[in-house]
Amino acid sequence: MPSGDRLNALTNPLMPNLNVPIAPSSLTETSTTVLHSAIAEELAVDIIEGRWKPGDSTTLNDIQDRFKISRTVARETAHSLESAHAIIIKKRVGLIAQPLSEWLSLDTKVITWKLHSNQRKQELVALTELRLAVEPFAAAQAALRAPVETRALMPVLAMEMHKNSDAGNLDEFQQLDLRFHNEILQHSGNDLFSSLSSLVDIIITGRSEKGGDQVQPTKELLLAHEDVAEAIWESNPDVARKAMTEIVTEVSTPTDDEGDNGDNADENGK
C-alpha cells in the first residue's frame, strides 16, 4: 500500500501528546505515591525472596521505623500490598505475609515485583506463555475487526519503529512498540484482550529495564512487526497470527540464558 494512502486514511495523530504539565498541587500526592509504591515493592520482594516468610507478621510501626516514613505513607504501603493479596491485615496482629499462590498474578504491581526479584526468569517465561496464548489471536482478530483508521495506522507504526531502530533511538522505538501492541489489543474486538493492554506494557518494558541499556532489535523482529502490520491492513488474519507468533517467540528466546536474578538479561526488543 502506498504510504500516502495509509496516511490519508488516518484521522488521529501518530503519537499522543505526552507533554502535559503537572499541576503544582499534584506534586506532593505524586511524590507520596512514588514513595509508598517503592516501599511496597521492597516489602513484596522480601516475601518473594523468602526474607519475609508467609505467615509472619510486621506492623505499621515496624515499617515506619525501617523506612523512616510517616504513618500515612506506611498505611498506603500496606493498602498497596493488601490490594494485591500479598498480605492480609489483622487487628492487633499487623500485616501478615501471604504465599505467592494467593497473590493476584495478573495485577501489574505483582508482575513488576516479580520482575524485580530473583523470580524474574520464571516470570518472563510465564508472561511469554501468556502472550503466545493471547497476542497472535488478537492480531488475527484485529485484521478482521479493526476500523480502517487503525488498520492504516499499523504499517505507519511499523515503519517508524524500523526507522527509530536504525537510528538508535531505542527509547522512541519502545514507545512505538507499546503503541503497536496496544492498538492490536484495543481493536481486537475482545474487551478481555483490551483489558490486558497495561499488562502487556509492563511485560514489554520489564524485559529490557533490568538489563540496563536496551539491545538493538533484530532484523527479523522488525520484519515480523512489518508483516503483522501489513496483514492487518490487508485484513489477512492468518498472516497476522503467524507473524505475531514469530514476534513473541523471538523475544522469548533470550530468557533461556538469563540468570535467575535477571542480572544477565539479553533482550532483542519487543
Side-chain angles (χ1 to χ4, degrees), residues 70-91:
S70 68
R71 189 73 167 187
T72 298
V73 174
R75 189 176 292 111
E76 290 299 318
T77 298
H79 289 163
S80 180
L81 291 165
E82 184 182 35
S83 70
H85 295 187
I87 64 166
I88 58 174
I89 301 174
K90 287 190 176 180
K91 192 174 182 180

Side-chain angles (χ1 to χ4, degrees), residues 207-218:
R207 294 188 68 93
S208 61
E209 66 181 7
K210 192 73 174 181
D213 294 338
Q214 296 183 48
V215 176
Q216 190 76 22
T218 64

Side-chain angles (χ1 to χ4, degrees), residues 36 43 56 111 116 126 134 172 269:
H36 79 66
L43 291 170
D56 289 351
I111 291 171
H116 292 172
V134 171
E172 183 68 16

Side-chain angles (χ1 to χ4, degrees), residues 108-257:
T108 55
K109 295 193 303 292
V110 172
I111 291 171
T112 300
W113 296 339
K114 289 182 178 179
L115 288 175
H116 292 172
S117 75
N118 61 9
Q119 298 297 307
R120 174 178 169 80
K121 180 179 178 180
Q122 296 93 316
E123 184 69 2
L124 285 174
V125 170
L127 292 170
T128 295
E129 291 173 351
L130 176 63
R131 291 187 71 184
L132 280 170
V134 171
E135 290 197 74
F137 185 77
Q141 293 303 102
L144 296 173
R145 297 175 172 177
V148 64
E149 294 85 0
T150 299
R151 290 192 291 109
L153 173 62
M154 301 311 296
V156 179
L157 286 173
M159 177 182 66
E160 288 295 315
M161 289 171 66
H162 206 145
K163 173 182 165 184
N164 279 277
S165 175
D166 289 346
N169 300 327
L170 299 186
D171 288 338
E172 183 68 16
F173 168 84
Q174 186 176 81
Q175 292 304 308
L176 289 162
D177 193 17
L178 293 171
R179 177 86 182 272
F180 186 94
H181 289 275
N182 279 328
E183 290 289 342
I184 291 172
L185 292 170
Q186 293 290 339
H187 294 96
S188 64
N190 186 314
D191 290 341
L192 292 176
F193 289 172
S194 297
S195 70
L196 294 176
S197 292
S198 60
L199 185 148
V200 172
D201 286 353
I202 293 292
I203 296 172
I204 291 176
T205 57
R207 294 188 68 93
S208 61
E209 66 181 7
K210 192 73 174 181
D213 294 338
Q214 296 183 48
V215 176
Q216 190 76 22
T218 64
K219 178 181 178 181
E220 291 76 13
L221 192 66
L222 295 169
L223 291 176
H225 278 84
E226 292 174 2
D227 288 344
V228 170
E230 289 293 337
I232 290 175
W233 166 248
E234 295 171 359
S235 299
N236 189 329
D238 292 336
V239 173
R241 181 187 292 108
K242 179 180 178 182
M244 182 60 79
T245 300
E246 291 175 359
I247 290 173
V248 180
T249 302
E250 169 77 11
V251 301
S252 73
T253 302
T255 66
D256 296 334
D257 299 325

